[in-house]
PDB file of all heavy atoms in Angstrom:
ATOM      1  N   ARG A  69     116.827  47.491 114.794  1.00  0.00           N
ATOM      2  CA  ARG A  69     117.444  47.403 116.142  1.00  0.00           C
ATOM      3  C   ARG A  69     118.961  47.811 116.022  1.00  0.00           C
ATOM      4  O   ARG A  69     119.494  48.440 116.934  1.00  0.00           O
ATOM      5  CB  ARG A  69     117.338  45.975 116.601  1.00  0.00           C
ATOM      6  CG  ARG A  69     117.809  45.844 118.025  1.00  0.00           C
ATOM      7  CD  ARG A  69     117.533  44.462 118.610  1.00  0.00           C
ATOM      8  NE  ARG A  69     117.621  44.515 120.018  1.00  0.00           N
ATOM      9  CZ  ARG A  69     117.495  43.461 120.822  1.00  0.00           C
ATOM     10  NH1 ARG A  69     117.192  42.270 120.284  1.00  0.00           N
ATOM     11  NH2 ARG A  69     117.598  43.566 122.094  1.00  0.00           N
ATOM     12  N   TYR A 114     113.489  48.423 125.166  1.00  0.00           N
ATOM     13  CA  TYR A 114     114.543  48.019 126.135  1.00  0.00           C
ATOM     14  C   TYR A 114     115.885  48.682 125.773  1.00  0.00           C
ATOM     15  O   TYR A 114     116.592  49.140 126.627  1.00  0.00           O
ATOM     16  CB  TYR A 114     114.702  46.496 126.129  1.00  0.00           C
ATOM     17  CG  TYR A 114     113.759  45.793 127.081  1.00  0.00           C
ATOM     18  CD1 TYR A 114     112.639  45.149 126.663  1.00  0.00           C
ATOM     19  CD2 TYR A 114     114.073  45.781 128.495  1.00  0.00           C
ATOM     20  CE1 TYR A 114     111.808  44.524 127.540  1.00  0.00           C
ATOM     21  CE2 TYR A 114     113.181  45.136 129.353  1.00  0.00           C
ATOM     22  CZ  TYR A 114     112.045  44.535 128.904  1.00  0.00           C
ATOM     23  OH  TYR A 114     111.222  43.886 129.777  1.00  0.00           O
ATOM     24  N   GLU A 118     118.140  51.268 127.948  1.00  0.00           N
ATOM     25  CA  GLU A 118     119.506  50.973 128.291  1.00  0.00           C
ATOM     26  C   GLU A 118     120.430  52.153 127.899  1.00  0.00           C
ATOM     27  O   GLU A 118     121.335  52.556 128.630  1.00  0.00           O
ATOM     28  CB  GLU A 118     119.945  49.695 127.582  1.00  0.00           C
ATOM     29  CG  GLU A 118     120.692  48.760 128.417  1.00  0.00           C
ATOM     30  CD  GLU A 118     120.861  47.392 127.676  1.00  0.00           C
ATOM     31  OE1 GLU A 118     121.684  47.305 126.753  1.00  0.00           O
ATOM     32  OE2 GLU A 118     120.064  46.484 127.999  1.00  0.00           O
ATOM     33  N   GLU A 129     110.862  60.067 126.935  1.00  0.00           N
ATOM     34  CA  GLU A 129     109.544  59.573 126.732  1.00  0.00           C
ATOM     35  C   GLU A 129     109.580  58.747 125.402  1.00  0.00           C
ATOM     36  O   GLU A 129     110.205  59.086 124.444  1.00  0.00           O
ATOM     37  CB  GLU A 129     108.571  60.739 126.562  1.00  0.00           C
ATOM     38  CG  GLU A 129     108.471  61.664 127.751  1.00  0.00           C
ATOM     39  CD  GLU A 129     107.839  61.058 128.974  1.00  0.00           C
ATOM     40  OE1 GLU A 129     106.830  60.336 128.804  1.00  0.00           O
ATOM     41  OE2 GLU A 129     108.319  61.328 130.118  1.00  0.00           O
ATOM     42  N   GLU A 164      99.530  47.851 121.763  1.00  0.00           N
ATOM     43  CA  GLU A 164      99.018  48.494 122.951  1.00  0.00           C
ATOM     44  C   GLU A 164      99.317  47.637 124.164  1.00  0.00           C
ATOM     45  O   GLU A 164      99.675  48.170 125.220  1.00  0.00           O
ATOM     46  CB  GLU A 164      97.511  48.810 122.808  1.00  0.00           C
ATOM     47  CG  GLU A 164      97.050  49.675 123.945  1.00  0.00           C
ATOM     48  CD  GLU A 164      95.649  50.228 123.816  1.00  0.00           C
ATOM     49  OE1 GLU A 164      94.993  49.776 122.865  1.00  0.00           O
ATOM     50  OE2 GLU A 164      95.212  50.985 124.676  1.00  0.00           O
ATOM     51  N   ASP A 168     101.336  49.106 127.288  1.00  0.00           N
ATOM     52  CA  ASP A 168     100.858  49.075 128.664  1.00  0.00           C
ATOM     53  C   ASP A 168     101.809  48.289 129.535  1.00  0.00           C
ATOM     54  O   ASP A 168     102.088  48.712 130.659  1.00  0.00           O
ATOM     55  CB  ASP A 168      99.461  48.365 128.664  1.00  0.00           C
ATOM     56  CG  ASP A 168      98.379  49.394 128.358  1.00  0.00           C
ATOM     57  OD1 ASP A 168      98.677  50.447 127.861  1.00  0.00           O
ATOM     58  OD2 ASP A 168      97.193  49.057 128.598  1.00  0.00           O
ATOM     59  N   GLY A 171     104.917  50.360 129.946  1.00  0.00           N
ATOM     60  CA  GLY A 171     104.667  51.684 130.414  1.00  0.00           C
ATOM     61  C   GLY A 171     105.171  52.785 129.527  1.00  0.00           C
ATOM     62  O   GLY A 171     105.982  53.627 129.955  1.00  0.00           O
ATOM     63  N   VAL A 172     104.816  52.730 128.234  1.00  0.00           N
ATOM     64  CA  VAL A 172     105.159  53.784 127.306  1.00  0.00           C
ATOM     65  C   VAL A 172     103.950  54.292 126.649  1.00  0.00           C
ATOM     66  O   VAL A 172     102.850  53.674 126.742  1.00  0.00           O
ATOM     67  CB  VAL A 172     106.173  53.383 126.256  1.00  0.00           C
ATOM     68  CG1 VAL A 172     107.485  52.828 126.883  1.00  0.00           C
ATOM     69  CG2 VAL A 172     105.593  52.245 125.369  1.00  0.00           C
ATOM     70  N   HIS A 173     104.037  55.459 125.953  1.00  0.00           N
ATOM     71  CA  HIS A 173     102.873  56.029 125.282  1.00  0.00           C
ATOM     72  C   HIS A 173     102.576  55.203 124.046  1.00  0.00           C
ATOM     73  O   HIS A 173     103.411  54.626 123.505  1.00  0.00           O
ATOM     74  CB  HIS A 173     103.175  57.483 124.869  1.00  0.00           C
ATOM     75  CG  HIS A 173     103.649  58.308 126.035  1.00  0.00           C
ATOM     76  ND1 HIS A 173     102.790  58.865 126.933  1.00  0.00           N
ATOM     77  CD2 HIS A 173     104.876  58.731 126.403  1.00  0.00           C
ATOM     78  CE1 HIS A 173     103.477  59.556 127.856  1.00  0.00           C
ATOM     79  NE2 HIS A 173     104.791  59.475 127.571  1.00  0.00           N
ATOM     80  N   PHE A 174     101.288  55.269 123.685  1.00  0.00           N
ATOM     81  CA  PHE A 174     100.833  54.461 122.556  1.00  0.00           C
ATOM     82  C   PHE A 174      99.874  55.305 121.748  1.00  0.00           C
ATOM     83  O   PHE A 174      99.118  56.039 122.260  1.00  0.00           O
ATOM     84  CB  PHE A 174     100.155  53.232 123.014  1.00  0.00           C
ATOM     85  CG  PHE A 174      99.421  52.494 121.903  1.00  0.00           C
ATOM     86  CD1 PHE A 174     100.032  51.713 120.995  1.00  0.00           C
ATOM     87  CD2 PHE A 174      98.039  52.648 121.808  1.00  0.00           C
ATOM     88  CE1 PHE A 174      99.412  51.091 119.972  1.00  0.00           C
ATOM     89  CE2 PHE A 174      97.336  52.024 120.788  1.00  0.00           C
ATOM     90  CZ  PHE A 174      98.005  51.190 119.865  1.00  0.00           C
ATOM     91  N   ALA A 209      99.542  66.256 124.800  1.00  0.00           N
ATOM     92  CA  ALA A 209      98.747  65.674 125.902  1.00  0.00           C
ATOM     93  C   ALA A 209      99.717  65.082 126.915  1.00  0.00           C
ATOM     94  O   ALA A 209      99.286  64.935 128.116  1.00  0.00           O
ATOM     95  CB  ALA A 209      97.804  64.627 125.387  1.00  0.00           C
TER      96      ALA A 209
ATOM     97  N   ARG B   2     115.754  38.254 129.188  1.00  0.00           N
ATOM     98  CA  ARG B   2     115.052  39.423 129.767  1.00  0.00           C
ATOM     99  C   ARG B   2     113.688  39.667 129.116  1.00  0.00           C
ATOM    100  O   ARG B   2     112.919  40.432 129.548  1.00  0.00           O
ATOM    101  CB  ARG B   2     115.900  40.668 129.598  1.00  0.00           C
ATOM    102  CG  ARG B   2     116.082  41.024 128.157  1.00  0.00           C
ATOM    103  CD  ARG B   2     116.830  42.310 128.007  1.00  0.00           C
ATOM    104  NE  ARG B   2     116.952  42.629 126.595  1.00  0.00           N
ATOM    105  CZ  ARG B   2     117.414  43.747 126.109  1.00  0.00           C
ATOM    106  NH1 ARG B   2     117.911  44.663 127.013  1.00  0.00           N
ATOM    107  NH2 ARG B   2     117.520  43.982 124.852  1.00  0.00           N
ATOM    108  N   PHE B   3     113.408  38.957 127.977  1.00  0.00           N
ATOM    109  CA  PHE B   3     112.245  39.294 127.252  1.00  0.00           C
ATOM    110  C   PHE B   3     111.216  38.200 127.234  1.00  0.00           C
ATOM    111  O   PHE B   3     111.455  37.161 126.540  1.00  0.00           O
ATOM    112  CB  PHE B   3     112.561  39.747 125.854  1.00  0.00           C
ATOM    113  CG  PHE B   3     111.634  40.761 125.355  1.00  0.00           C
ATOM    114  CD1 PHE B   3     111.768  42.070 125.778  1.00  0.00           C
ATOM    115  CD2 PHE B   3     110.599  40.453 124.531  1.00  0.00           C
ATOM    116  CE1 PHE B   3     110.841  43.020 125.328  1.00  0.00           C
ATOM    117  CE2 PHE B   3     109.681  41.358 124.107  1.00  0.00           C
ATOM    118  CZ  PHE B   3     109.814  42.698 124.525  1.00  0.00           C
ATOM    119  N   PRO B   6     104.368  39.975 127.071  1.00  0.00           N
ATOM    120  CA  PRO B   6     103.785  40.818 128.028  1.00  0.00           C
ATOM    121  C   PRO B   6     102.507  40.300 128.674  1.00  0.00           C
ATOM    122  O   PRO B   6     101.894  39.425 128.077  1.00  0.00           O
ATOM    123  CB  PRO B   6     103.472  42.132 127.285  1.00  0.00           C
ATOM    124  CG  PRO B   6     103.272  41.616 125.870  1.00  0.00           C
ATOM    125  CD  PRO B   6     104.177  40.460 125.711  1.00  0.00           C
ATOM    126  N   ILE B  11      94.279  45.121 129.146  1.00  0.00           N
ATOM    127  CA  ILE B  11      93.446  44.962 127.988  1.00  0.00           C
ATOM    128  C   ILE B  11      92.366  43.986 128.285  1.00  0.00           C
ATOM    129  O   ILE B  11      91.233  44.178 127.909  1.00  0.00           O
ATOM    130  CB  ILE B  11      94.328  44.459 126.813  1.00  0.00           C
ATOM    131  CG1 ILE B  11      95.505  45.301 126.566  1.00  0.00           C
ATOM    132  CG2 ILE B  11      93.494  44.273 125.583  1.00  0.00           C
ATOM    133  CD1 ILE B  11      95.162  46.581 125.799  1.00  0.00           C
ATOM    134  N   ARG B  14      89.282  45.439 129.859  1.00  0.00           N
ATOM    135  CA  ARG B  14      88.368  46.265 129.031  1.00  0.00           C
ATOM    136  C   ARG B  14      87.225  45.462 128.450  1.00  0.00           C
ATOM    137  O   ARG B  14      86.127  45.940 128.403  1.00  0.00           O
ATOM    138  CB  ARG B  14      89.220  46.831 127.886  1.00  0.00           C
ATOM    139  CG  ARG B  14      89.891  48.078 128.237  1.00  0.00           C
ATOM    140  CD  ARG B  14      90.881  48.459 127.204  1.00  0.00           C
ATOM    141  NE  ARG B  14      91.954  49.172 127.862  1.00  0.00           N
ATOM    142  CZ  ARG B  14      93.096  49.337 127.325  1.00  0.00           C
ATOM    143  NH1 ARG B  14      93.392  48.915 126.172  1.00  0.00           N
ATOM    144  NH2 ARG B  14      94.013  50.049 127.998  1.00  0.00           N
ATOM    145  N   ARG B  43      97.263  65.856 132.022  1.00  0.00           N
ATOM    146  CA  ARG B  43      98.099  64.766 132.376  1.00  0.00           C
ATOM    147  C   ARG B  43      99.330  65.237 133.155  1.00  0.00           C
ATOM    148  O   ARG B  43      99.797  64.616 134.079  1.00  0.00           O
ATOM    149  CB  ARG B  43      98.449  63.969 131.139  1.00  0.00           C
ATOM    150  CG  ARG B  43      97.360  62.985 130.892  1.00  0.00           C
ATOM    151  CD  ARG B  43      97.444  62.304 129.512  1.00  0.00           C
ATOM    152  NE  ARG B  43      98.761  62.069 128.891  1.00  0.00           N
ATOM    153  CZ  ARG B  43      98.879  61.527 127.719  1.00  0.00           C
ATOM    154  NH1 ARG B  43      97.814  61.154 127.003  1.00  0.00           N
ATOM    155  NH2 ARG B  43     100.021  61.288 127.203  1.00  0.00           N
ATOM    156  N   GLN B  55     104.803  58.579 131.514  1.00  0.00           N
ATOM    157  CA  GLN B  55     104.382  57.425 130.766  1.00  0.00           C
ATOM    158  C   GLN B  55     103.382  56.565 131.582  1.00  0.00           C
ATOM    159  O   GLN B  55     102.459  55.988 131.003  1.00  0.00           O
ATOM    160  CB  GLN B  55     105.643  56.525 130.496  1.00  0.00           C
ATOM    161  CG  GLN B  55     106.806  57.324 130.089  1.00  0.00           C
ATOM    162  CD  GLN B  55     107.601  56.789 128.858  1.00  0.00           C
ATOM    163  OE1 GLN B  55     107.096  56.044 128.162  1.00  0.00           O
ATOM    164  NE2 GLN B  55     108.778  57.305 128.641  1.00  0.00           N
ATOM    165  N   SER B  58     100.172  58.150 131.238  1.00  0.00           N
ATOM    166  CA  SER B  58      99.669  57.996 129.889  1.00  0.00           C
ATOM    167  C   SER B  58      98.994  56.575 129.754  1.00  0.00           C
ATOM    168  O   SER B  58      97.918  56.446 129.295  1.00  0.00           O
ATOM    169  CB  SER B  58     100.829  58.043 128.927  1.00  0.00           C
ATOM    170  OG  SER B  58     100.507  57.541 127.696  1.00  0.00           O
ATOM    171  N   ARG B  62      94.956  56.339 129.272  1.00  0.00           N
ATOM    172  CA  ARG B  62      94.563  55.590 127.989  1.00  0.00           C
ATOM    173  C   ARG B  62      93.560  54.503 128.347  1.00  0.00           C
ATOM    174  O   ARG B  62      92.539  54.343 127.708  1.00  0.00           O
ATOM    175  CB  ARG B  62      95.753  55.060 127.280  1.00  0.00           C
ATOM    176  CG  ARG B  62      95.415  54.553 125.896  1.00  0.00           C
ATOM    177  CD  ARG B  62      96.673  54.277 125.108  1.00  0.00           C
ATOM    178  NE  ARG B  62      97.481  53.168 125.640  1.00  0.00           N
ATOM    179  CZ  ARG B  62      98.740  53.324 126.075  1.00  0.00           C
ATOM    180  NH1 ARG B  62      99.358  54.492 126.018  1.00  0.00           N
ATOM    181  NH2 ARG B  62      99.398  52.323 126.539  1.00  0.00           N
ATOM    182  N   GLN B  66      89.547  54.291 127.441  1.00  0.00           N
ATOM    183  CA  GLN B  66      88.946  53.227 126.661  1.00  0.00           C
ATOM    184  C   GLN B  66      87.825  52.597 127.440  1.00  0.00           C
ATOM    185  O   GLN B  66      86.897  52.060 126.820  1.00  0.00           O
ATOM    186  CB  GLN B  66      89.999  52.178 126.312  1.00  0.00           C
ATOM    187  CG  GLN B  66      90.974  52.771 125.274  1.00  0.00           C
ATOM    188  CD  GLN B  66      91.743  51.615 124.625  1.00  0.00           C
ATOM    189  OE1 GLN B  66      91.751  50.469 125.076  1.00  0.00           O
ATOM    190  NE2 GLN B  66      92.428  52.006 123.542  1.00  0.00           N
ATOM    191  N   PRO B  83     100.016  73.978 124.929  1.00  0.00           N
ATOM    192  CA  PRO B  83      98.601  73.776 125.128  1.00  0.00           C
ATOM    193  C   PRO B  83      98.382  72.525 126.043  1.00  0.00           C
ATOM    194  O   PRO B  83      99.164  71.659 126.005  1.00  0.00           O
ATOM    195  CB  PRO B  83      98.014  73.561 123.778  1.00  0.00           C
ATOM    196  CG  PRO B  83      99.159  73.150 122.936  1.00  0.00           C
ATOM    197  CD  PRO B  83     100.381  73.743 123.543  1.00  0.00           C
TER     198      PRO B  83
END
Side-chain angles (χ1 to χ4, degrees):
Chain A
R69 189 174 198 181
Y114 273 102
E118 225 169 78
E129 300 290 321
E164 189 172 4
D168 277 13
V172 300
H173 306 282
F174 167 80
Chain B
R2 66 176 180 173
F3 211 79
I11 304 281
R14 275 168 208 163
R43 276 169 30 184
Q55 320 225 18
S58 166
R62 188 167 67 241
Q66 289 197 348

